[in-house]
Amino acid sequence: MDPIFDLELQDCPYCGGTGCFEDEGGWCLYVQCLDCSSHTAEFAYRNEAERAERARQAAHIWNIGKVIRPNPGD
Ligand SMILES: [Zn+2]
């Protein structure tokens, strides 16, 4: 079980959808809404310890609502 999935994620600040960790091929991760695709910035990491720290940062950024909308005009 991946330890980053133990981190608590609030609902999406825009649509109330479910936030989920996305891992970009083992070099960075971010949190993305499963419903509207809003997402946090990407957090790059170089090893497992750094990955866990970046996951905590991404969860925090998501939970305080610093989330990028894919289509602000919609
Ligand atoms: Zn959303």
Side-chain angles (χ1 to χ4, degrees):
M1 180 74 186
D2 195 324
I4 71 171
F5 293 111
D6 289 338
L7 294 166
E8 192 170 334
L9 295 173
Q10 305 289 325
D11 292 339
C12 174
Y14 292 119
C15 75
T18 302
C20 185
F21 280 107
E22 296 286 337
D23 198 320
E24 284 289 341
W27 68 275
C28 80
L29 54 79
Y30 55 95
V31 179
Q32 183 170 45
C33 173
L34 294 178
D35 290 333
C36 74
S37 297
S38 295
H39 59 88
T40 66
E42 293 173 345
F43 290 82
Y45 60 86
R46 288 167 298 184
N47 53 52
E48 282 300 308
E50 209 170 69
R51 181 172 182 267
E53 180 61 28
R54 295 293 177 264
R56 274 193 292 276
Q57 292 173 340
H60 175 70
I61 291 296
W62 174 265
N63 289 341
I64 64 174
K66 288 202 165 189
V67 177
I68 301 160
R69 299 192 74 173
N71 296 301
D74 287 351

